[in-house]
């Protein structure tokens, strides 16, 4: 662990320096890691683990698109790719990477194969924290750990291939073997994390659900939509409205934030922009603060979990989701975006 000062607050975190890949491989050398589910996190984590030299198998429903995707990615049926139950039986560490709702359905099968000494691994605190709703309660004689990459499995894989990594949190819920913490860190390094910070299952899911419903996805889409709609209403063209709302953000300004922080992005904009942004920032912050309060409350009471589980239970859930996503896709704003992207200069 390295003690690092984060803006005046000291935290113990794990970096690849004090926990190198060779050490992670040594810690897990006798384990068979079974990645259950091949949606978004499944491929990212399974492929990174495999390329990092761990003993990995994948469990997935046969006759599904994702089974075919796994075969395309080089997993061999009967050797490294199995039906879910067979993978549960063969694995010593079961990485539960089905959708959170899917985990509820598969839990009885997973539980049956979680014999003493095995490890149950999550990338989300959902199943354990909302156990009244999910029914996921592991026996006391197994280890229960978590590694949650802070980003999409797609990015986890892409960054790995570029030699970079996404940061992840890790947590231990049950430590029957006495090795749970070391195993969690080793798996965190193995899946290609940047640095690892410690949390618990409850904090992980509360922050994750807040983040994705808030700034990362929900609030982001909402604020962009509000500005685009306003500009259009005031007579600005789609090109002007989209460039001033999204394209400038994603192609220019947010990259400067990622590189060196908000003040650096501000410093690279005009003094006119800086003056106005500094004044308006606080108004926006104060306007949305009550919405964030509601959001956190809805997460903490389990209301968000209930909504998600109920929605996912509907037989036509996928189809309905696709209709909603298509609505977004086909809206003037995102159609304008598709055109703008096409017009980006190519090398
Ligand atoms: N999407 C992401 O990049 C991230 C996801 N997570 C967490 O990782 C876990 C996995 O999430 P995703 O990869 O997004 O999942 P996903 O929604 O892509 O689903 C993963 C797999 O679950 C399978 N599945 C769903 N219901 C099933 C059922 N009833 N029986 C059998 N298989 C079923 C699907 O076929 C798919 O292969 C979740 O706990 C999620 O919260 C954490 C960080 C980021
Ligand atoms: C990518 C991620 O970490 C999210 C947004 O929390 C999720 O996909 O659940
Ligand atoms: Mg997340
Ligand atoms: Mg999430």
């Amino acid at each position: 662990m390295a003690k690092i000062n984060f803006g005046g607050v000291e935290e113990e975190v794990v970096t690849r320096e004090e926990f190198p890949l060779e050490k992670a491989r040594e810690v897990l050398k006798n384990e068979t890691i079974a990645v259950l589910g091949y949606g978004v996190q499944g491929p990212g984590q399974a492929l990174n683990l495999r390329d990092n030299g761990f003993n990995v198998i994948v469990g997935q429903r046969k006759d599904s698109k994702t089974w075919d995707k796994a075969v395309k990615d080089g997993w061999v049926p009967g050797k490294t790719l199995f039906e879910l139950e067979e993978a549960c039986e063969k694995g010593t560490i079961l990485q539960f990477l089905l959708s959170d709702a899917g985990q509820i359905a598969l839990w009885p099968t997973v539980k049956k194969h979680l014999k003493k000494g095995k490890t149950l691994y999550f990338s989300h605190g959902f199943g354990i924290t909302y156990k009244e709703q999910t029914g996921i309660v592991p026996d006391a004689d197994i280890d229960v750990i978590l590694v949650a990459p802070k980003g999409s499995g797609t990015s986890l894989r892409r960054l790995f291939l570029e030699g970079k990594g996404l940061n992840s949190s890790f947590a231990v819920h049950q430590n029957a073997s006495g090795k749970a913490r070391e195993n969690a860190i080793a798996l965190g390094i193995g899946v290609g994390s940047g640095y690892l910070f410690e949390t618990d299952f409850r904090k992980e899911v509360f922050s994750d659900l807040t983040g994705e419903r808030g700034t990362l996805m929900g609030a982001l889409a909402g604020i962009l939509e509000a500005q685009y709609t306003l500009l259009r209403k005031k007579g600005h063209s789609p090109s002007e409205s989209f460039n001033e709302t999204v394209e400038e953000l994603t192609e220019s300004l947010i990259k400067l934030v990622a590189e060196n922080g908000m003040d650096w992005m501000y410093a690279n904009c005009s003094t006119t922009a800086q003056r106005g942004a500094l004044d308006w920032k606080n108004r926006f912050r104060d306007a949305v603060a009550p919405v964030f309060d509601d959001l956190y409350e809805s997460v903490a009471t389990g209301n968000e979990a209930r909504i998600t589980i109920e929605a996912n239970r509907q037989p036509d859930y996928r189809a309905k989701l696709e209709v909603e996503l298509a609505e977004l896709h086909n809206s003037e704003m995102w159609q304008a975006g598709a055109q703008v992207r096409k017009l980006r200069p190519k090398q």
Side-chain angles (χ1 to χ4, degrees), residues 17-87:
E17 253 166 59
E18 73 267 8
F19 208 105
L21 189 54
E22 301 73 58
K23 184 170 169 186
R25 275 199 216 104
E26 178 62 27
V27 168
L28 300 173
K29 66 171 189 258
N30 296 323
E31 308 288 349
T32 299
I33 304 165
V35 174
L36 309 174
Y38 209 72
V40 184
Q41 275 302 312
Q45 296 195 25
L47 292 170
N48 289 0
L49 282 165
R50 184 181 74 185
D51 291 354
N52 271 336
F54 295 85
N55 183 18
V56 194
I57 60 173
V58 169
Q60 179 55 36
R61 281 186 290 204
K62 224 177 190 162
D63 301 322
S64 63
K65 265 195 233 151
T66 33
W67 174 280
D68 299 340
K69 179 179 172 351
V71 171
K72 248 194 226 129
D73 286 348
W75 303 99
V76 184
K79 223 172 137 206
T80 52
L81 176 61
F82 301 93
E83 285 275 8
L84 283 160
E85 178 150 14
E86 210 178 340

Side-chain angles (χ1 to χ4, degrees), residues 100 123-124 126 149-151 204-205 207-213 216-217:
D100 294 308
S123 284
H124 205 10
F126 194 101
K150 295 294 113 186
E204 195 286 329
V205 70
S207 58
D208 189 81
L209 296 185
T210 301
E212 69 201 15
R213 280 155 179 73
L216 303 176
M217 295 170 70

